[in-house]
Amino acid sequence: MALFAFSVAPLGAGESVTEPVARAIKVVRDSGLPHRTDAMFTTIEGEWDECMDVIKRATDAIGVDHGRVSLVIKADIRPGHSGELEGKVERVHRALDAS
């Protein structure tokens, strides 16, 4: 299992990238993988191959209208662990509450 945080956006699209990014996020939502989207990244959790497939399809969804796409990926690969999308955050909150 792994967490993949990624940011994908068209290059040269002007000030707003809302519409193409929304298409990419729809791919993530439709995948059924656990995910979270914030202002900078979308994080998904799953097996390596299924996550990379979702990231590729999300990138392709943006590339439909734009010839050039920027993609940044960060991965936390932890075989044998699941539920880390929430688990990592919960552990930090417990540590903060204990201090």
Side-chain angles (χ1 to χ4, degrees):
M1 295 296 281
L3 294 174
F4 289 87
F6 71 101
S7 173
V8 60
L11 293 176
E15 187 69 23
S16 177
V17 296
T18 301
E19 292 303 317
V21 169
R23 286 196 309 269
I25 300 305
K26 181 167 181 357
V27 170
V28 172
R29 287 183 175 177
D30 291 349
S31 76
L33 292 176
H35 65 278
R36 175 182 299 140
T37 299
D38 61 38
M40 296 293 292
F41 287 93
T42 294
T43 304
I44 57 178
E45 182 172 16
E47 296 296 332
W48 178 277
D49 290 339
E50 66 184 346
C51 288
M52 292 306 290
D53 176 63
V54 170
I55 293 169
K56 181 186 183 314
R57 290 187 291 117
T59 303
D60 289 346
I62 287 181
V64 167
D65 296 334
H66 300 86
R68 192 169 179 195
V69 178
S70 172
L71 172 64
V72 176
I73 303 172
K74 180 174 174 133
D76 179 1
I77 301 160
R78 296 186 75 183
H81 290 78
S82 62
E84 292 299 296
L85 187 65
E86 300 296 332
K88 289 178 77 168
V89 176
E90 290 170 4
R91 287 191 295 277
V92 170
H93 285 283
R94 282 197 303 270
L96 287 168
D97 291 344
S99 60

